[in-house]
Amino acid sequence: RRSSDLAQLKQLSGQVDRLKQEDAMPAMVLNQYRNSICYVFGIYRVGFPGKKPSLRARISGSGFVVSNGLLATNRHVAEPWYEDAESTALIGKGATPQLEKLQAFFPGLTTPVDITPLAWTADGDLAILQIDDSAAVRQLRPLPFADKTPTPGELVTVIGYPMGILGMVAKAPPSVYERLAFRNDDQGAANELAALSLIRPSATCGHLGDVVGQKLVYDAPTAHGGSGGPVFDSQGKVIGVNAAYIDGFSGGTLGISAQALMPLID
């Protein structure tokens, strides 16, 4: 009886420790990996030769360091005309898409760095970009990847920049908020936030609802701008890349398995 009670106590103690670890996970991954998770800003255009661009738009997303000088994100962040209905219609008529600017703003850096798309999945929403080399960039830690398939029901933490510049300005001190809140200049606001060390990602947490092939479904909230951020498991390892959300359904945030990134990184 005593050995049975001890076994139950040990099991209960293990469960409590695991719950404590899971409760602490969002803060741990945010504090440990914050500087390697960047805000991605860009401008692209789609147009016909010799004419004013038919479409010119801004890009807002997230990304994270996966190895020295390489950044992971969604394909629709690195190549913003991907699966965009208006761009696709124009390209179908012979227009050409082009990136005007693509930059990464890292929490630990006071100025942005240029990034260049290197590779993307042909039938999925993943991409790898090259970060302009510098001493500061070389100090960024690659995020660790999980070596097992995630299990539905486990805790997940998503880190990124939901709402983009608007979200970071909303979190800024009152004096900065009042100066930037109504300025219609995302590039200028991003530069100012970086100079003030106010590029800060947000963490949300929830549970993994399902795993279907390379698709992850979870209820951690996100918004426009969170695309391309890392999804962590309860052990603090990356299991996926945040990709989209189903409007009107709180349990319908979608990610893509991090295992699908490996061929691109290679």
Side-chain angles (χ1 to χ4, degrees):
R1 177 67 188 267
R2 183 177 292 177
S3 62
S4 173
D5 288 347
L6 282 172
Q8 284 184 331
L9 189 62
K10 190 174 181 181
Q11 185 180 10
L12 204 56
S13 177
Q15 289 172 347
V16 170
D17 287 345
R18 193 158 56 249
L19 286 170
K20 284 180 180 176
Q21 180 189 352
E22 288 185 354
D23 282 345
M25 189 55 61
M28 188 279 283
V29 293
L30 186 59
N31 291 331
Q32 196 162 350
Y33 301 120
R34 180 198 311 270
N35 286 359
S36 296
I37 302 169
C38 66
Y39 169 65
V40 176
F41 174 83
I43 299 171
Y44 73 101
R45 65 175 182 261
V46 182
F48 299 90
K51 294 183 179 178
K52 185 180 177 182
S54 304
L55 170 68
R56 189 171 185 265
R58 293 172 295 193
I59 307 155
S60 184
S62 305
F64 58 99
V65 178
V66 292
S67 74
N68 191 22
L70 295 183
L71 192 69
T73 189
N74 291 137
R75 181 175 175 179
H76 76 260
V77 174
E79 191 183 75
W81 48 89
Y82 173 70
E83 292 192 340
D84 174 67
E86 189 177 357
S87 298
T88 301
L90 288 167
I91 292 166
K93 294 174 184 175
T96 303
Q98 185 179 354
L99 280 171
E100 287 185 21
K101 179 193 294 277
L102 198 60
Q103 293 182 317
F105 289 80
F106 287 94
L109 305 182
T110 54
T111 54
V113 291
D114 290 331
I115 48 179
T116 309
L118 279 186
W120 46 84
T121 45
D123 57 353
D125 197 5
L126 294 177
I128 295 292
L129 303 97
Q130 184 164 0
I131 314 167
D132 263 18
D133 190 33
S134 71
V137 165
R138 285 193 291 273
Q139 291 174 9
L140 298 173
R141 295 174 57 189
L143 270 52
F145 283 76
D147 54 9
K148 61 180 177 65
T149 303
T151 308
E154 72 173 290
L155 185 81
V156 295
T157 301
V158 180
I159 300 181
Y161 296 84
M163 301 306 292
I165 292 296
L166 189 64
M168 285 186 282
V169 168
K171 294 192 296 183
S175 59
V176 177
Y177 173 81
E178 287 163 14
R179 191 165 65 250
L180 300 180
F182 305 104
R183 185 194 296 179
N184 190 24
D185 175 16
D186 283 2
Q187 172 79 82
N191 285 330
E192 190 161 340
L193 289 170
L196 295 168
S197 298
L198 290 174
I199 298 292
R200 297 173 63 85
S202 296
T204 57
C205 56
H207 290 85
L208 190 61
D210 207 354
V211 180
V212 184
Q214 292 187 339
K215 191 169 285 185
L216 310 178
V217 185
Y218 41 90
D219 59 3
T222 190
H224 175 72
S227 293
V231 182
F232 293 88
D233 64 12
S234 57
Q235 306 301 309
K237 300 290 179 66
V238 176
I239 56 168
V241 181
N242 194 39
Y245 58 95
I246 302 169
D247 219 4
F249 175 46
S250 61
T253 308
L254 305 175
I256 303 163
S257 170
Q259 296 304 313
L261 274 173
M262 296 310 177
L264 292 183
I265 296 170
D266 291 342

